[in-house]
Amino acid sequence: MSQIGNSGMGAVVGEHGVTFRVWVPNANSVFVMGSFNGWKDDEFPLEHEYDGYWAVHLDAAIEGAEYKYIIHNGDYKIIKNDPYARKMTNSVGNSIVIDLRKDWEDHQFQIPSFNELVIYEMHIGTFNREGKEEGQAGDFYTAVQKLDYIKELGINAIEVMPVMEFAGDNSWGYNPAHPFAVESAYGGPDGLKYFIHEAHIRGIAVILDVVYNHFGPSDIDLWQFDGWQENDLGGIYFYNDYRANTPWGENRPDYGRKEVRNYLRDNAMMWLDDYQCDGLRFDATAVIRYLDSENSNNKAELEDGYNFLQELNGEIRDVFPHKILIAEDLKADPVVTSPVMLNGLGFHSQWGLGFANQIKRVLLEIEDQHRNLQLVVESLFFAFNNDVFQRIIFTESHDEVANGSSRLPEEIQPGEADGEYAKKKSTLGAITLMTAPGIPMLFQGQEFISHGYFQDTEGLDWGRQSVYNGISNMYRDLIGMRNGRDEEMVGLTGHLTETLHFNQETLVLVYSRIHADHRDHPVIIVLNFSNQTYQNYKFGMPVGGQWRVKFNSGWQGYDEDFSGTEITSVSAKGPFEGKPHSVLLDIPSFGGIILIR
């Protein structure tokens, strides 16, 4: 087994037989039963080692065997699955012995530089259901069928929504029942390993969404695991007082217990080491570090949780210095991405709602005269700790397109997500996203104008990718400029942003993106948030010479509803707006132009 991720817990496959080890501090005795002994519940006792850990080695057990523990606590006889079960028959089934290191080979893959990442958020159960029966969830194998498409799109990182074994076959995944097992409906451990390997072959990193702020709430064998509890709460893996409360029930892990911290630590290391994930995205970290994360008037910090995150991130950074750690904290708090040595939480980057909320407010405004261009500027110049890549930015995510909200084109033109304004405005949002400082992220299907709202019971409609192939090509072109593979566009991977032109009346914004090491390759972005197409629009420029149009959203090759504005190059003119040079440019309505030297 791995020297990094293996704590010797759970079912550990040896050269001969299997060692079973479990933490059961309140047990009088513990047995293991399974397919290897006809499920006799009193044949194989575990021996107490120390501090509540029990273990036994069985030559009779082999990989693939199903098993459960029998825990005796006083008069109680409790049958439980292994908390460390790496594989389950299903969420209410049996644990299965599996060696995750069998035939393991180092992929020799390294995630791209964080400033070059373009992330694609994917839900395995709905991403590709082609070939599946009606209502049947997609899996890792059907997802792999679309990886060539993802590669051609230019995506270099996929963020996979949680795949921990959950109740039923359809779920967003934020209800982990068995945290170490991979969802059986998705293809289990072998399916995930296959998916990650196939992604790596194509140069695509895989970032896994993990849930450490709560367990369950349903099908959780961790609940009152060894029979002990207080206040009728969760027992040894949970807080058993007011600290148990989360938005999803009274099911917050007890970060104050070293055994629970080790349990979560081992889980994180398993994904990064055994499965070779390239990073983790932590769900709702505010619930880990605050007692009441949703009450702005009660910011009581949960010190146990704060310390747990520091400890875990510190170790991961030491062991896997090239892997990325992302927090969904949503508090716009720079401490989340501050170094542990400065008493920060040590994440590399964090989700925030500021960019999405501000850009959507501008795009969803119906009348031009009420559109506030300053909101776009504010969204461009926000950074944590003076590092623009410490934030993940998006206009669509699984939360943004559900919970009472819909896909952006649907919100722009309800019932007409394929209408002219829906297409123009939503792609203007994409242009802003791909040229703004930060790590951009798309939600699956965003690139072909998916409509309605996200549901875990409905697969993506891949027919729309053919219908809106031009829009998809626009996304491909934007991603190709942003992912670091185009040397002319290196400015988009830099920290420097400057506003060159701002006009609230015309709703035109011009800004530059520059990489400090490549100042001779500035990228100029011209955005028009109005419904007017402008001819010979003039704005000041700091640098003269000939400028080439790298991207023009008005090209009708993207969509027949677009303006057909044809421009290939522009020449700098005389001084204007206090700048030494200027240009005249045709700008499509609700569109954007990208200029390079």
Side-chain angles (χ1 to χ4, degrees):
M1 289 290 288
S2 162
Q3 297 300 305
I4 298 169
N6 174 37
S7 64
M9 296 298 295
V12 181
V13 180
E15 190 172 340
H16 302 288
V18 177
T19 298
F20 297 90
R21 182 171 287 107
V22 62
W23 176 56
V24 213
N26 298 289
N28 302 123
S29 61
V30 184
F31 292 80
V32 64
M33 65 178 179
S35 56
F36 43 80
N37 77 332
W39 296 96
K40 296 176 185 174
D41 62 7
D42 59 357
E43 182 177 1
F44 292 130
L46 278 67
E47 294 183 6
H48 184 248
E49 295 181 319
Y50 61 93
D51 294 341
Y53 289 96
W54 298 69
V56 67
H57 179 82
L58 299 182
D59 288 336
I62 60 173
E63 186 169 15
E66 298 181 20
Y67 69 102
K68 283 190 174 182
Y69 293 119
I70 305 94
I71 300 164
H72 294 273
N73 181 347
D75 295 332
Y76 292 103
K77 176 183 176 182
I78 307 160
I79 299 175
K80 292 285 189 178
N81 276 298
D82 188 348
Y84 276 82
R86 275 80 170 179
K87 186 177 182 180
M88 296 287 299
T89 54
N90 56 66
S91 64
V92 292
N94 299 323
S95 306
I96 301 175
V97 177
I98 184 173
D99 181 1
L100 295 179
R101 305 292 286 195
K102 187 177 182 180
D103 301 324
W104 188 95
E105 291 184 10
D106 190 339
H107 295 174
Q108 298 290 320
F109 181 85
Q110 186 170 310
I111 190 171
S113 298
F114 299 164
N115 65 328
E116 297 177 351
L117 287 178
V118 180
I119 299 174
Y120 190 93
E121 189 183 17
M122 180 184 295
H123 178 256
I124 295 297
T126 58
F127 175 61
N128 181 24
R129 291 189 171 185
E130 292 180 351
K132 292 288 187 178
E133 294 181 7
E134 183 71 27
Q136 188 177 7
D139 56 34
F140 296 115
Y141 300 97
T142 57
V144 165
Q145 295 169 9
K146 297 293 187 182
L147 286 184
D148 284 337
Y149 162 81
I150 296 295
K151 178 183 177 181
E152 290 166 8
L153 199 59
I155 296 294
N156 54 21
I158 296 171
E159 182 183 299
V160 179
M161 289 170 65
V163 299
M164 300 168 171
E165 185 76 43
F166 49 72
D169 292 345
N170 292 309
S171 171
W172 286 20
Y174 298 99
N175 54 331
H178 302 277
F180 278 77
V182 177
E183 172 57 34
S184 48
Y186 290 172
D190 290 337
L192 177 58
K193 287 197 283 186
Y194 173 68
F195 175 84
I196 293 171
H197 182 254
E198 291 295 315
H200 285 171
I201 288 173
R202 292 164 174 81
I204 302 170
V206 177
I207 302 163
L208 189 64
D209 207 335
V210 292
V211 183
Y212 297 149
N213 48 42
H214 74 289
F215 296 129
S218 54
D219 293 358
I220 43 172
D221 271 17
L222 294 177
W223 189 261
Q224 299 182 1
F225 184 72
D226 65 0
W228 175 86
Q229 52 81 20
E230 289 181 344
N231 304 314
D232 200 28
L233 292 174
I236 61 174
Y237 280 93
F238 302 87
Y239 285 113
N240 287 262
D241 55 22
Y242 64 95
R243 293 171 295 180
N245 286 304
T246 75
W248 311 282
E250 295 176 308
N251 50 357
R252 181 185 273 130
D254 184 350
Y255 309 114
R257 281 187 185 254
K258 70 178 186 302
E259 296 87 355
V260 177
R261 292 196 304 273
N262 289 340
Y263 180 71
L264 297 172
R265 174 264 180 205
D266 292 344
N267 185 269
M269 290 298 184
M270 177 189 70
W271 303 121
L272 295 171
D273 188 30
D274 293 336
Y275 285 100
Q276 303 186 59
C277 289
D278 303 291
L280 300 174
R281 180 266 196 192
F282 288 56
D283 178 61
T285 51
V287 180
I288 299 175
R289 64 192 190 98
Y290 287 121
L291 283 173
D292 186 354
S293 63
E294 297 186 324
N295 184 353
S296 59
N297 296 320
N298 179 13
K299 284 293 187 81
E301 189 171 279
L302 183 57
E303 188 175 352
D304 291 344
Y306 196 98
N307 293 339
F308 157 69
L309 289 172
Q310 285 188 314
E311 186 180 300
L312 178 58
N313 287 345
E315 182 180 2
I316 291 174
R317 277 175 170 261
D318 286 343
V319 178
F320 299 109
H322 300 296
K323 303 204 178 199
I324 191 168
L325 296 169
I326 299 170
E328 183 209 26
D329 198 75
L330 308 183
K331 299 298 181 187
D333 190 346
V335 76
V336 173
T337 41
S338 294
V340 173
M341 67 180 67
L342 298 179
N343 201 35
L345 290 178
F347 287 96
H348 295 101
S349 195
Q350 60 175 303
W351 278 33
L353 298 179
F355 183 90
N357 287 347
Q358 289 171 311
I359 297 300
K360 287 175 71 173
R361 276 182 63 188
V362 174
L363 294 174
L364 294 179
E365 183 59 63
I366 297 174
E367 300 293 336
D368 278 358
Q369 65 261 33
H370 300 309
R371 214 178 305 282
N372 184 0
L373 197 60
Q374 181 61 30
L375 290 175
V376 180
V377 175
E378 291 173 5
S379 72
L380 293 177
F381 285 90
F382 183 88
F384 295 110
N385 305 305
N386 297 314
D387 183 346
V388 301
F389 301 109
Q390 284 189 10
R391 65 171 185 159
I392 307 294
I393 55 176
F394 47 84
T395 55
E396 290 194 6
S397 72
H398 67 271
D399 280 325
E400 287 290 313
V401 299
N403 299 320
S405 299
S406 301
R407 294 281 194 161
L408 183 54
E410 187 76 33
E411 294 207 323
I412 292 169
Q413 258 183 287
E416 297 179 78
D418 55 354
E420 177 183 352
Y421 287 117
K423 289 185 288 189
K424 283 185 175 181
K425 285 185 171 183
S426 66
T427 53
L428 175 56
I431 300 165
T432 310
L433 172 68
M434 288 297 163
T435 58
I439 298 176
M441 184 185 77
L442 303 177
F443 184 62
Q444 61 178 32
Q446 178 177 348
E447 72 279 11
F448 46 80
I449 313 290
S450 289
H451 62 303
Y453 63 95
F454 171 60
Q455 305 176 73
D456 56 34
T457 54
E458 288 191 15
L460 269 187
D461 180 359
W462 282 93
R464 295 181 72 86
Q465 199 278 324
S466 299
V467 174
Y468 302 106
N469 186 55
I471 300 286
S472 187
N473 286 341
M474 178 194 283
Y475 275 85
R476 181 200 63 200
D477 291 347
L478 288 167
I479 294 166
M481 289 184 278
R482 178 61 187 80
N483 62 17
R485 297 171 187 169
D486 187 338
E487 292 181 0
E488 293 181 324
M489 305 302 293
V490 67
L492 294 182
T493 65
H495 278 274
L496 305 177
T497 306
E498 181 184 358
T499 301
L500 302 180
H501 175 83
F502 174 96
N503 191 318
Q504 177 61 44
E505 290 186 11
T506 61
L507 294 174
V508 172
L509 176 66
V510 183
Y511 55 96
S512 65
R513 294 288 313 283
I514 297 174
H515 193 295
D517 296 335
H518 304 277
R519 292 178 182 270
D520 57 337
H521 282 81
V523 178
I524 308 297
I525 299 96
V526 184
L527 302 180
N528 178 9
F529 284 87
S530 83
N531 64 4
Q532 301 296 314
T533 296
Y534 294 110
Q535 307 290 331
N536 291 320
Y537 191 94
K538 189 175 185 179
F539 55 87
M541 291 276 275
V543 183
Q546 192 81 4
W547 292 86
R548 179 158 60 89
V549 176
K550 180 74 173 182
F551 172 87
N552 170 18
S553 70
W555 181 51
Q556 284 191 312
Y558 291 139
D559 192 275
E560 60 184 13
D561 281 337
F562 292 174
S563 67
T565 308
E566 295 289 345
I567 35 175
T568 56
S569 65
V570 291
S571 299
K573 311 296 182 184
F576 186 66
E577 296 180 323
K579 294 183 175 62
H581 305 278
S582 62
V583 296
L584 295 173
L585 190 66
D586 295 346
I587 314 173
S589 62
F590 295 124
I593 304 288
I594 298 176
L595 303 174
I596 58 174
R597 295 292 294 277

